[in-house]
Amino acid sequence: MDSTHSRRRARRLLLPLTAGVCAIALAGGCSDSNSSGPDATKSGRVQQGSTSKATGDLQAEYQSVIENVLPSVVQIDASDSLGSGIVYDTKGHIVTNAHVVGKEKTFKVSSATGERVLSASLVAAYPEQDLAVIKLDNVPKGLKAAKFGDSDKVAVGQIVLAMGSPLGLSSSVTQGIVSALGRTVSESSAGGGTGATIANMVQTSAAINPGNSGGALVNLNSEVVGIPTLAATDPQLGGSAAPGIGFAIPVSMVKTVADQIIKSGKVTDSGRAALDITGRTVVDNSYKPAGVALVSVSKGGAAEKAGLRAGDIITKIGDTPVTTITSLSEALASDKPGQKVTVTYLRSEAEKTARVTLGEI
C-alpha cells in the first residue's frame, strides 16, 4: 500500500505562553473581573454538563456505526498478502482493491466476528482503478451487505471511520475526518502496487495502515463513502507513511466499477480518458525528466487521429506540464473520453501543438 504522493514537512507554530494562559482563561471569561461568584459556578456546571452530553452523543454514534457496518467488513487472505473487503450484496460479492487480490484467483475470507473462514473466487480485477470483486463460493445465511453512500454528499470536515484489518488485526477501527477531496494520486508499482493513477480520491486523517486496503471508509450515517487504498509517504522520513494522510477511492467509482464487473465480468465503460499511446519518460541534458516520448501510437487511436506519431515528445496537456509517464497519467486522470485537449509536443526539437479528442482506457 504505497504511494508516490509526498508532502512538505509541516512547520510547528509555537505560541507565547501568555497567549496560552489567555486561551485557558477564556473558558471562564478572559477579563480582570472576579468570576468566582455563584453565577459563574452555575454557568460552569451547565457548560460541563452540556459538553459531557455532547461527548456521550458522539460516542453513541460511533458505536452505532461500528455495530451497523463492521459485520459487512471482511478480511481477505490472498496467499501472499492480507487485506480487507466489503460485502457488496447478499449474493456474496465482495469489493476490494486490485492490489489486495494481486494475481490470485482464490481466497480465504473471514468475517469481522472471525467465527468461520469462507472460500471465495475472483470475479474480475480492474488494476487501472485499483478495484476488484471476488465472490463467496457458498453464501452463508444472514450475510449483511454494506450500505453505500453518495460521493456528492461527502464534504471536507465530515467525521469518518476506517474499518479493516490493518497489520492483520481484524475488525480494527480508526477515526478521523475527510481532510480534502478531489486528490489525484499515483500508486507505486513496487511491492505489489498496481501503479494506477486515480483521480478524485478522498483524503482522510483516519489512520490507513497495511491491511486497511480494500476496507471501508464510513460516515456517521453508517454509509460507505470510500475504500481506503493507500497512505502518503514522506521522503524526509525515509519513505515512511506520513501520519494523518491517507486516501480512499470514492464510492461513486467503487459502485461504477463493481456494478460493471458483477454484470459483465469486466469493466465495459471505464470513463477514463486515454491518448492511445505507449510512451516512456525522457530526460534533458541535466538528466532531469523532460517529457514523454511516444514509442508507439495505436492505429485509429486518439493520438494518431490528431497527427501525433512515434518519436514525438509530449511536454504539456493543456496548461499542465508533462515530464514523466506518471505526470501524463495525472494530467489525463480527471478528463473524460471524447473530451478535446491541446497537446504540446516536440518533433525534431520544434515545438508543436495538436488538438486531440481523447479515447478511452
Side-chain angles (χ1 to χ4, degrees):
M1 193 169 66
D2 301 320
S3 169
T4 55
H5 178 83
S6 61
R7 65 170 178 80
R8 296 176 182 267
R9 187 183 300 279
R11 295 183 178 179
R12 183 173 297 175
L13 178 62
L14 299 179
L15 297 178
L17 180 61
T18 52
V21 172
C22 185
I24 294 172
L26 281 173
C30 188
S31 67
D32 293 331
S33 61
N34 185 348
S35 57
S36 61
D39 290 342
T41 303
K42 180 179 179 181
S43 174
R45 280 200 299 267
V46 171
Q47 290 178 345
Q48 182 178 2
S50 177
T51 302
S52 298
K53 181 179 179 181
T55 302
D57 289 346
L58 184 58
Q59 178 171 298
E61 283 193 70
Y62 278 19
Q63 292 173 330
S64 176
V65 172
I66 293 168
E67 290 174 2
N68 289 337
V69 182
L70 202 56
S72 303
V73 179
V74 300
Q75 180 173 288
I76 299 174
D77 184 345
S79 181
D80 59 351
S81 66
L82 198 66
S84 305
I86 310 170
V87 178
Y88 193 72
D89 58 29
T90 55
K91 296 179 180 179
H93 291 104
I94 294 169
V95 65
T96 184
N97 283 133
H99 78 258
V100 169
V101 303
K103 296 181 180 179
E104 300 293 324
K105 303 296 182 183
T106 60
F107 313 91
K108 294 179 180 178
V109 175
S110 54
S111 64
T113 58
E115 293 175 357
R116 53 186 299 205
V117 177
L118 305 170
S119 61
S121 303
L122 179 69
V123 179
Y126 185 57
E128 291 84 352
Q129 196 67 36
D130 199 0
L131 289 169
V133 175
I134 65 176
K135 188 177 186 298
L136 295 174
D137 296 331
N138 295 294
V139 182
K141 291 183 179 180
L143 183 68
K144 182 179 180 181
K147 181 180 179 182
F148 289 78
D150 184 348
S151 288
D152 291 338
K153 295 181 180 179
V154 179
V156 174
Q158 287 179 340
I159 295 173
V160 287
L161 305 180
M163 302 183 190
S165 302
L167 307 176
L169 301 172
S170 62
S171 308
S172 293
V173 182
T174 57
Q175 64 85 28
I177 63 169
V178 173
S179 50
L181 295 170
R183 297 295 197 204
T184 296
V185 181
S186 293
E187 293 184 12
S188 170
S189 57
T194 64
T197 296
I198 309 173
N200 298 317
M201 295 280 270
V202 178
Q203 181 179 311
T204 179
S205 63
I208 306 297
N209 292 295
N212 267 124
S213 291
L217 189 69
V218 187
N219 63 21
L220 293 187
N221 291 324
S222 300
E223 297 171 332
V224 176
V225 297
I227 288 186
T229 299
L230 47 83
T233 56
D234 188 344
Q236 297 185 47
L237 297 177
S240 299
I245 304 181
F247 301 96
I249 298 173
V251 66
S252 58
M253 180 55 68
V254 174
K255 291 191 290 187
T256 295
V257 170
D259 287 345
Q260 291 181 58
I261 288 177
I262 292 170
K263 180 180 179 180
S264 306
K266 62 181 180 179
V267 173
T268 56
D269 180 9
S270 71
R272 296 283 303 272
L275 282 173
D276 302 321
I277 59 100
T278 299
R280 62 180 177 84
T281 300
V282 295
V283 297
D284 59 19
N285 293 332
S286 300
Y287 299 100
K288 294 181 179 179
V292 172
L294 304 191
V295 176
S296 64
V297 295
S298 300
K299 187 175 182 179
E304 187 189 59
K305 288 180 178 178
L308 293 170
R309 64 192 189 207
D312 293 341
I313 299 174
I314 296 176
T315 59
K316 193 182 294 185
I317 299 291
D319 295 325
T320 304
V322 170
T323 56
T324 64
I325 283 287
T326 297
S327 65
L328 175 60
S329 297
E330 291 175 349
L332 295 171
S334 60
D335 293 332
K336 297 296 180 183
Q339 184 175 331
K340 295 180 184 288
V341 297
T342 299
V343 176
T344 302
Y345 63 99
L346 299 175
R347 178 178 292 171
S348 301
E349 299 185 357
E351 185 174 88
K352 298 176 178 293
T353 61
R355 193 70 173 162
V356 179
T357 301
L358 297 172
E360 184 174 7
I361 292 177

